[in-house]
Amino acid sequence: MKEKLEALKVEALAKLQEVTDPQALNDLRVKYLGKKGELTEVLRGMGGLSAEERPVIGQVANLVRSAIEEIITAKQEAFQQQETLNRLQAEKVDVTLPGRALPQGGIHPLNRVVQEIEDIFIGMGYKVAEGPEVETDYYNFEALNLPKNHPARDMQDSFYLTEDLLMRTQTSPVQVRTMQAMKGETPVKIICPGKVYRRDDDDATHSFQFHQIEGLVIGSKIRMSDLKGTLNQFVKEMFGPATGIRLRPSFFPFTEPSVEVDVSCFKCGGDGCRLCKQSGWLEILGAGMVHPNVLRMGGYDPEKYSGFAFGMGVERIAMLKYGIDDIRYFYTNDMGFVKQFKGI
């Protein structure tokens, strides 16, 4: 039996040395070391050996098995290394080639204007406040001195969801919510950016959805001169240091007195041009002193406190600032239009 094992070892090692692929190697492993392999068949004859011969033959069998397993392991590692090298060769990347440049986006002009306005007012000590776009009739109208059936409501044709809920027509409700949250404490100094909705026909200057930024200041002895000084500083930072403002009397239910605010045309310097329709002035926002009724509904005593408010359309500011003549360009996802503002 010892001679059979030695002969099996020589045969197996010779055939394993000649193996050139993993499948043939596995076939030989099964042939010699499998449950029905040749080594197993030889060892089945150990039952006929004497007690003295069994340990000797067992030791020889283990040496044969170890020799066969050692060469099989070495061959497997060699095949795996070659496979790895082949994959690396097939999947290699030439890092000397130039990379593919990915397109870079830019900030949308409306977002850019909102950020610029926020930066200006934050620099003046204001905080940014936000509120829901689906608003109650109370906050959107009644708390702003617009009771039910008030004729001024006709100025804002609205999207009602229920009798009491609507898409907000202005960001002014955020002002009332902020006042109530402050519970009569001062100072209040906020701006309220956000989307608003009004039933309107889309054309070059109108949209059913647009953006507003409103501001509110409440404290003791707040005067119209404070409002004028604030807006004067804003337009100089927004449109240039040579820009001036003028106030024209107007009407808003939530402010008294109320004004329309114009800026001197920053394109012609006030001399008159196509942008300002030869007037030298551009209308940009509405403002005024907070109405006593609005102060009361916000939790403030109008005998002790006063304030001013203002509101502007972001699209209007952007159209003037960048010379855009159609509001619909902001919403058509035209990459040619948006790319014009990259890097500004």
Side-chain angles (χ1 to χ4, degrees):
M1 184 173 287
K2 181 177 180 181
E3 289 75 14
K4 286 184 178 181
L5 289 173
E6 292 293 345
L8 179 62
K9 175 182 175 182
V10 172
E11 176 189 331
L13 294 182
K15 290 186 177 181
L16 288 169
Q17 288 290 356
E18 298 173 357
V19 169
T20 57
D21 65 85
Q23 183 59 50
L25 179 65
N26 186 63
D27 291 343
L28 288 176
R29 180 188 63 79
V30 173
K31 177 181 179 181
Y32 291 111
L33 303 181
K35 291 182 178 180
K36 297 181 180 180
E38 294 186 16
L39 180 60
T40 304
E41 288 296 325
V42 173
L43 294 177
R44 284 176 181 167
M46 289 181 65
L49 298 176
S50 64
E52 292 80 10
E53 291 177 316
R54 287 176 188 170
V56 176
I57 297 303
Q59 185 177 9
V60 173
N62 287 335
L63 291 173
V64 172
R65 180 183 295 275
S66 297
I68 295 174
E69 288 178 342
E70 184 177 343
I71 193 171
I72 289 175
T73 300
K75 283 283 187 178
Q76 287 175 335
E77 291 177 354
F79 288 144
Q80 288 175 355
Q81 290 177 0
Q82 187 60 47
E83 182 183 1
T84 301
L85 289 174
N86 292 340
R87 288 182 59 188
L88 290 174
Q89 185 67 24
E91 300 173 6
K92 71 177 181 179
V93 177
D94 185 354
V95 295
T96 63
L97 292 174
R100 295 181 179 88
L102 296 176
Q104 291 185 340
I107 301 176
H108 192 278
L110 290 181
N111 290 335
R112 187 182 299 278
V113 170
V114 170
Q115 291 175 3
E116 189 172 352
I117 294 173
E118 288 180 347
D119 289 344
I120 292 171
F121 281 101
I122 288 173
M124 289 191 281
Y126 285 69
K127 294 182 179 180
V128 178
E130 296 181 340
E133 294 179 19
V134 177
E135 195 49 277
T136 65
D137 184 89
Y138 172 79
Y139 281 110
N140 196 80
F141 289 124
E142 294 182 46
L144 295 169
N145 202 34
L146 281 163
K148 294 185 184 299
N149 301 318
H150 193 289
R153 288 196 181 200
D154 294 339
M155 299 166 60
Q156 301 179 10
D157 206 1
S158 313
F159 289 106
Y160 273 89
L161 306 178
T162 68
E163 290 187 4
D164 188 56
L165 291 177
L166 72 157
M167 304 301 293
R168 67 181 180 187
T169 61
Q170 55 210 357
T171 58
S172 304
V174 182
Q175 299 181 19
V176 181
R177 290 178 176 274
T178 300
M179 285 191 285
Q180 292 180 352
M182 292 291 289
K183 297 181 180 179
E185 295 183 5
T186 57
V188 176
K189 203 172 182 182
I190 60 168
I191 55 170
C192 315
K195 287 183 288 188
V196 298
Y197 307 84
R198 298 181 188 178
R199 289 205 307 150
D200 212 337
D201 294 328
D202 284 357
D203 57 28
T205 57
H206 298 85
S207 174
F208 69 91
Q209 172 196 291
F210 55 100
H211 296 74
Q212 273 190 345
I213 292 184
E214 300 194 11
L216 173 69
V217 173
I218 297 176
S220 59
K221 300 180 180 180
I222 301 296
R223 299 167 295 183
M224 180 68 86
S225 58
D226 298 316
L227 169 62
K228 183 177 180 181
T230 298
L231 296 179
N232 193 50
Q233 179 67 23
F234 163 67
V235 299
K236 290 183 183 302
E237 294 193 39
M238 191 70 189
F239 300 111
T243 309
I245 66 171
R246 73 176 181 181
L247 307 182
R248 294 180 288 110
S250 186
F251 166 76
F252 301 110
F254 27 80
T255 53
E256 180 60 38
S258 304
V259 293
E260 296 283 358
V261 182
D262 302 333
V263 298
S264 58
C265 182
F266 41 84
K267 184 174 182 180
C268 66
D271 294 333
C273 66
R274 180 175 174 272
L275 179 63
C276 62
K277 299 179 181 179
Q278 306 303 322
S279 68
W281 295 94
L282 299 166
E283 179 183 335
I284 62 165
L285 58 87
M289 302 301 293
V290 180
H291 196 288
N293 290 344
V294 176
L295 286 172
R296 289 191 189 94
M297 285 183 280
Y300 291 85
D301 183 356
E303 298 297 326
K304 295 175 58 178
Y305 301 105
S306 58
F308 64 76
F310 56 86
M312 67 191 81
V314 176
E315 284 81 353
R316 171 68 173 166
I317 301 294
M319 291 172 75
L320 292 174
K321 187 175 179 68
Y322 299 124
I324 300 169
D325 58 8
D326 195 322
I327 194 174
R328 290 169 292 192
Y329 291 152
F330 292 123
Y331 304 109
T332 53
N333 297 323
D334 183 347
M335 293 302 295
F337 169 74
V338 176
K339 286 179 179 178
Q340 298 179 70
F341 303 93
K342 183 178 177 181
I344 293 180

